[in-house]
């Protein structure tokens, strides 16, 4: 039998499959990217056992749990755990503290002829390890922040580097009023866990310097950890430049073509429903900045957007969307970014197009490793 583990670092670095035996309500509040929920108790069973524990103690709670999870229910859950164990022979199981629940699952699996190890300390210890690891990274790794006007391709730069943290990727949001995806964002703890694991892997690869995209404190509904955000506010800026036409084309690809494709994947046999959802997504994004645009400009851009959507609906052609994108850049995003940059000029250490920026940051990473 493989030994139980508390080598959290290797579990995360190697994306080891994890069977989370906590109740669904616990799992949904926060888990790890490699974890799958196969609970010992469902939410109602957990609630009853918890209440019993408070009033009557541990043994009474264990006895109640055995009465609630027995017979066919017990056999079904053992079958689910056994299936996970067979599919993931290199994996581990865990509960909240690595205690009673994970030990019970281990015991029942052993009685079914399957020895399967658990994570000592459970979810609580693994979560604590990631928090401490992220704090250490923030304190010890210098940062560069990629900034630039909307549509310059900052995310593309992030993806081209081996020492970057992808805030928007982990938040599943592009960071603007139009930044939502067709599917939901992760909960805050899942966002933080995924970010910390990526930082762990960057450090393991030998990088002592981090690159992040310039973001506000909120990326959609996800909050950038405070210490990380505060450090980003004083880090050197790399200013990414691109032509207005290229920026319009990139936004068209990201927010029109790709977003329509996302909704089409959600409704593969219902193109009309998919297009309606996509249309509501675009018009909702514009509505969210209505007050900042002003009533007259909002009405004008909304009319252009609606006309472009009707053309796209009937012909599939997306070129007309360029008009409202150009209007938003000219009258909203570019003035806003120009104002923001006016207070950051002293932090800009390099400016250039995408190739130049990537090469500069790659050289910075090499120099940093050499110094280390």
């Amino acid at each position: 039998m493989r030994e139980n583990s508390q080598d959290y670092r290797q579990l995360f670095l190697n994306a080891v499959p994890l069977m989370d035996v906590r109740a669904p309500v616990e799992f949904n509040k926060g888990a790890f990217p490699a974890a799958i929920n196969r609970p010992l108790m469902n939410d109602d069973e957990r609630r009853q056992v918890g209440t019993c524990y408070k009033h009557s103690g541990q043994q009474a709670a264990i006895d109640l749990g055995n009465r609630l999870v027995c017979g066919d229910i017990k056999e079904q859950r053992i079958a689910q755990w056994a299936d996970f164990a067979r599919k993931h022979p290199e994996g581990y199981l865990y509960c909240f503290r690595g205690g009673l629940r994970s030990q019970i699952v281990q015991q029942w699996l052993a009685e079914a002829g399957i020895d399967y190890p658990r994570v000592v300390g459970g979810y609580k210890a693994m979560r604590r390890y990631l928090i401490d690891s992220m704090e250490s990274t923030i304190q010890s790794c210098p940062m560069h922040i990629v900034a630039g006007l909307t549509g310059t391709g900052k995310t593309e730069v992030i993806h081209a580097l081996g020492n970057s943290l992808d805030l928007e990727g982990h938040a599943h949001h592009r960071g603007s009023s139009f930044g939502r995806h067709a599917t939901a964002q992760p909960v805050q703890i899942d966002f933080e866990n995924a970010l910390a694991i990526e930082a762990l892997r960057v450090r393991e690869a030998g990088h002592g310097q981090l690159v992040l995209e310039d973001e506000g404190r909120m990326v959609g509904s996800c909050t950038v950890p405070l210490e990380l955000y505060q450090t980003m506010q004083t880090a050197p800026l790399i200013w990414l430049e691109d032509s207005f036409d290229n920026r319009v084309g990139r936004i068209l690809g990201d927010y029109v073509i790709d977003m329509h494709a996302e909704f089409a994947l959600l409704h593969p046999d219902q193109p009309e429903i998919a297009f309606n959802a996509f249309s509501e997504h675009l018009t909702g994004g514009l509505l969210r900045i209505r007050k900042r645009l002003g009533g007259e400009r909002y009405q004008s851009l909304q009319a252009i957007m609606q006309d472009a959507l009707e053309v796209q609906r009937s012909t599939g052609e997306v070129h007309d969307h360029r008009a409202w994108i150009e209007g938003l850049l000219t009258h909203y995003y570019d003035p806003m970014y120009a104002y923001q940059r006016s207070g950051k000029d002293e932090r800009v250490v390099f400016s250039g197009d995408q190739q130049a920026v990537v090469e500069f940051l790659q050289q910075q990473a090499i120099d940093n490793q050499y110094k280390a």
Side-chain angles (χ1 to χ4, degrees), residues 12-138:
F12 291 128
L13 286 175
N14 296 318
V16 174
L18 299 169
M19 181 166 71
D20 186 323
V21 302
R22 297 176 300 157
V25 66
E26 298 171 279
F27 182 85
N28 292 333
K29 287 179 181 177
F32 308 110
I36 295 176
N37 192 211
R38 294 290 183 267
L40 170 63
M41 296 180 289
N42 65 28
D43 293 338
D44 183 59
E45 292 159 355
R46 172 180 174 269
R47 180 188 58 77
Q48 292 183 56
V49 168
T51 300
C52 181
Y53 180 87
K54 289 179 182 178
H55 292 104
S56 305
Q58 185 183 71
Q59 190 55 51
I62 292 172
D63 292 341
L64 175 59
N66 284 327
R67 292 195 299 272
L68 291 172
V69 184
C70 63
D72 289 344
I73 293 175
K74 178 178 176 179
E75 293 306 313
Q76 289 169 7
R77 291 181 191 171
I78 291 174
Q80 291 179 336
W81 304 333
D83 181 63
F84 183 94
R86 283 191 293 268
K87 289 179 179 176
H88 306 289
E90 76 281 25
Y92 291 82
L93 64 88
Y94 69 87
C95 63
F96 183 64
R97 292 187 180 87
L100 190 58
R101 283 184 287 179
S102 56
Q103 291 171 25
I104 289 172
V105 172
Q106 270 189 315
Q107 178 187 334
W108 289 0
L109 276 173
E111 291 169 356
I114 298 173
D115 290 325
Y116 207 68
R118 63 186 169 87
V119 179
V120 177
Y123 170 84
K124 186 176 182 180
M126 288 189 285
R127 169 76 173 152
R128 183 73 258 167
Y129 174 81
L130 289 179
I131 291 172
D132 292 344
S133 172
M134 192 65 188
E135 288 178 353
S136 174
T137 296
I138 294 167

Side-chain angles (χ1 to χ4, degrees), residues 177-239:
S177 60
F178 295 89
R180 297 178 182 179
H181 287 272
T183 50
Q185 288 189 255
V187 297
Q188 178 67 24
I189 290 175
D190 286 0
F191 168 66
E192 293 174 6
N193 287 345
L195 190 63
I197 291 169
E198 185 179 34
L200 197 66
R201 290 175 179 158
V202 169
R203 297 289 300 278
E204 179 69 10
H207 296 292
Q209 187 178 75
L210 296 176
V211 180
L212 299 95
E213 183 174 342
D214 194 21
E215 297 286 353
R217 181 79 198 281
M218 301 296 296
V219 187
S221 62
C222 292
T223 305
V224 177
L226 180 58
E227 188 176 1
L228 175 60
Y229 179 73
Q230 289 174 335
T231 303
M232 291 170 62
Q233 301 316 296
T234 58
L237 291 179
I238 313 300
W239 193 263

Side-chain angles (χ1 to χ4, degrees), residues 291-327:
K291 289 184 178 179
R292 284 174 281 178
L293 286 171
E296 185 176 340
R297 182 160 289 131
Y298 168 77
Q299 294 290 344
S300 173
L301 291 174
Q302 183 193 44
I304 295 170
M305 180 183 283
Q306 290 289 358
D307 288 344
L309 283 167
E310 288 307 312
V311 170
Q312 184 182 359
R313 184 193 297 272
S314 59
T315 69
E317 174 57 55
V318 299
H319 182 270
D320 287 7
H321 284 286
R322 295 180 70 95
W324 66 261
I325 294 171
E326 291 170 357

Side-chain angles (χ1 to χ4, degrees), residues 168 171-186 219-222 254-256 258-260 262-263 266 277-278 280-289 292 333:
E168 290 186 0
H172 194 52
H173 195 284
R174 291 192 176 101
S176 73
S177 60
F178 295 89
R180 297 178 182 179
H181 287 272
T183 50
Q185 288 189 255
V219 187
S221 62
C222 292
D254 288 345
Y255 291 88
V256 177
D258 290 352
M259 281 308 308
H260 181 219
E262 284 191 28
F263 283 101
L266 279 184
F278 160 68
E280 290 174 8
H281 168 84
L282 271 192
T283 55
L286 190 64
L287 183 62
R288 279 187 286 277
I289 55 174
R292 284 174 281 178
Y333 283 111

